[in-house]
Amino acid sequence: MSAVRRRWRFEGRVQGVGFRYFATCAAQKLGLTGWVANDWDGSVTLEAQGDPEQLDKLVPMIERTCRWGRIEGMTVENLPLKEHEYHFTERSGE
């Protein structure tokens, strides 16, 4: 199956609770590339690419492992693939 890229924007209790750390761990475990970052308004943006089946597992895995966080709202959109992206990273902020 071909790789796809998605961007999520999470709202709720997603900053100051280890959300980026757990998102990074989940993405790396699933073999995805991309990044996650806090936004100025208290939300978190995450872009990931890889196998669609693995991408479908990402948000549930974050919700299971980040016990102090709570996703109260989420948007998702498909994006063009990024070439030459080999890792998943945690960014300090957008």
Side-chain angles (χ1 to χ4, degrees), residues 31-42:
L32 303 173
T33 64
W35 55 268
V36 62
N38 286 341
D39 294 321
W40 64 271
D41 62 358

Side-chain angles (χ1 to χ4, degrees), residues 3-20:
V4 296
R5 185 175 191 89
R6 294 181 191 154
R7 176 187 296 142
W8 289 265
R9 183 172 179 269
F10 301 103
E11 295 177 332
R13 192 173 12 162
V14 293
Q15 288 193 18
V17 293
F19 190 89
R20 289 181 299 155

Side-chain angles (χ1 to χ4, degrees), residues 1 6-7 12 15 21-23 27 37 39 41-42 44 51 53 61-62 74 77 92 94:
M1 192 172 271
R6 294 181 191 154
R7 176 187 296 142
Q15 288 193 18
Y21 170 80
F22 288 105
D39 294 321
D41 62 358
V44 170
D51 181 274
E53 290 181 12
M61 186 179 288
I62 295 167
M74 175 178 66
E77 63 182 304
S92 59
E94 288 293 291

Side-chain angles (χ1 to χ4, degrees), residues 10 18-38 44-48 58-59 61-63 65-66 87-92:
F10 301 103
F19 190 89
R20 289 181 299 155
Y21 170 80
F22 288 105
T24 300
C25 290
Q28 290 172 345
K29 184 172 186 168
L30 294 169
L32 303 173
T33 64
W35 55 268
V36 62
N38 286 341
V44 170
T45 299
L46 185 153
E47 284 191 18
L58 181 59
V59 174
M61 186 179 288
I62 295 167
E63 289 179 311
T65 57
C66 186
H87 305 285
F88 193 94
T89 59
E90 184 178 328
R91 295 183 179 176
S92 59

